[in-house]
Amino acid sequence: MAVLCALLALAAGALTLGTPYVPLAALPHEFVVTELRLPRLVLALVAGACLGAAGLVLQEALRNPLAVPEMLGVSSGAALGVAAPLVLALSVPLAVQPLLALAGAALGGALTLLAAGLGRSPSAVLLTGAAVTAALQSALLVLMVLADQLDLQLIYRYLLGSLSARTWHDVTGLWPWLAVALPALALCAPVLSVLRLGDDDARALGVRVGRARLAALAIAIVLIAPVVAVCGPVAWVGFLAPQLARRLRPGADAVRWLPWSAAWGAVIVACADLPARLALAPVETPVGAWTALLGVPAGVALLRARGRGHPPPGGGRRARPAAVTAPRDADPGERRTTALPETDGGTR
């Protein structure tokens, strides 16, 4: 209910506020609303939902709250796939840009998994992803050096994530990708709940861990790449939205968290787009700058609050209590060391 109220309030503010101000009664009749503000709002909601769902998929598959698209080479690879033709003066139709973003995201994710041993260790995947991200961002910096002044401004704004001048054409370009991703998400969510138990338990339940992790990355790529192609890499939405979903539903599993994470992602991007459009009016600032500015501190605060309460399932090391030794007055022949049972609730 709170998310629905937040969405309604954000929708009213996004459609009425700005230059010119449009009263609620005049919304259906204003060109600036129907052709500029409304498609921008719909795009913000769809993009945020995709990023929030992708963030939860990656975090659950790797059992780490820091496993976000920005840390696994996915967002940087997609941005590189879109920015390279612009700098190299290659004429690319708008309909092909999502395919270029998909190829770049797949390249970044594949490099991460291959370098980490096909995802056998979640921690190795995360660390390798950070290195791959740094390499791809270096390639983007090289492209920015080669670009002329006009292209440089376009690339800079694109790399920060922007919803400026988006139309209904940009919105409709996302629906085919969503038609592919939504059924895959429905099939993937139960497997994510099993992966949270740890690799050994998941294998014991019949899950092929390496393939499941690879499939989760593929689904995240299908969700992220079209958004990056249209809006650029809107940062850290995939980090904050799952944290909010877990905070409000602490006893749930991935199946129940997934729609909440998507809903919170939509709220985050729509909320960040208001100051992006109005804070320095008439100059628009990139929405990705606001999601990073507000999302990272909020996400860290949620992680700290969660850590003070109780460790997340699947989110920490197994606690191994110290060995217990028999009393000193026992028979020397009977003295032995035994270990207490391991506490369940950690990563193997």
Side-chain angles (χ1 to χ4, degrees):
M1 190 65 181
V3 178
L4 180 60
C5 293
L7 285 174
L8 292 176
L10 287 172
L15 297 178
T16 58
L17 300 178
T19 304
Y21 171 78
V22 179
L24 286 174
L27 287 181
H29 311 291
E30 290 290 336
F31 176 84
V32 70
V33 172
T34 58
E35 297 300 325
L36 294 178
R37 295 180 186 175
L38 185 58
R40 179 170 179 155
L41 174 62
V42 173
L43 182 60
L45 295 175
V46 174
C50 290
L51 294 174
L56 181 71
V57 168
L58 292 175
Q59 292 179 19
E60 292 298 304
L62 298 178
R63 303 196 308 277
N64 193 315
L66 296 179
V68 292
E70 292 79 14
M71 293 291 292
L72 296 175
V74 177
S75 292
S76 298
L80 182 62
V82 176
L86 179 63
V87 175
L88 299 176
L90 299 177
S91 179
V92 177
L94 292 177
V96 181
Q97 287 188 358
L99 297 177
L100 294 176
L102 186 67
L107 175 62
L111 288 175
T112 298
L113 287 181
L114 288 175
L118 294 177
R120 295 172 184 172
S121 170
S123 58
V125 172
L126 187 59
L127 293 175
T128 307
V132 171
T133 298
L136 294 174
Q137 288 178 347
S138 299
L140 285 170
L141 290 176
V142 172
L143 289 178
M144 294 176 70
V145 171
L146 297 175
D148 57 28
Q149 190 64 30
L150 179 59
D151 290 341
L152 181 61
Q153 293 179 1
L154 293 175
I155 293 175
Y156 182 74
R157 180 174 291 273
Y158 167 78
L159 291 179
L160 290 177
S162 176
L163 298 175
S164 179
R166 298 302 185 263
T167 64
W168 287 115
H169 178 75
D170 298 307
V171 177
T172 55
L174 295 178
W175 297 121
W177 302 98
L178 292 179
V180 175
L182 290 179
L185 278 175
L187 296 174
C188 177
V191 180
L192 294 177
S193 299
V194 178
L195 286 178
R196 299 180 74 243
L197 302 176
D199 290 0
D200 293 338
D201 289 341
R203 290 191 185 96
L205 293 174
V207 175
R208 296 182 178 181
V209 175
R211 293 185 180 182
R213 198 163 285 141
L214 185 62
L217 180 62
I219 294 172
I221 287 173
V222 174
L223 288 169
I224 295 166
V227 173
V228 174
V230 175
C231 308
V234 183
W236 298 105
V237 178
F239 168 63
L240 179 58
Q243 305 304 325
L244 291 171
R246 295 189 187 97
R247 181 72 173 176
L248 296 180
R249 295 290 187 274
D253 56 7
V255 176
R256 297 182 181 180
W257 283 332
L258 190 59
W260 284 104
S261 183
W264 277 115
V267 170
I268 291 168
V269 177
C271 184
D273 190 45
L274 281 178
R277 189 164 57 88
L278 303 175
L280 300 178
V283 177
E284 289 192 7
T285 52
V287 67
W290 289 95
T291 57
L293 181 65
L294 302 177
V296 174
V300 171
L302 287 173
L303 285 177
R304 289 174 60 89
R306 186 179 177 186
R308 286 195 297 267
H310 53 80
R317 280 293 198 188
R318 272 187 185 269
R320 291 185 177 271
V324 178
T325 306
R328 292 181 180 274
D329 56 355
D331 186 3
E334 296 178 357
R335 289 186 65 189
R336 63 188 182 276
T337 299
T338 59
L340 291 177
E342 296 178 347
T343 60
D344 194 10
T347 306
R348 295 178 183 270

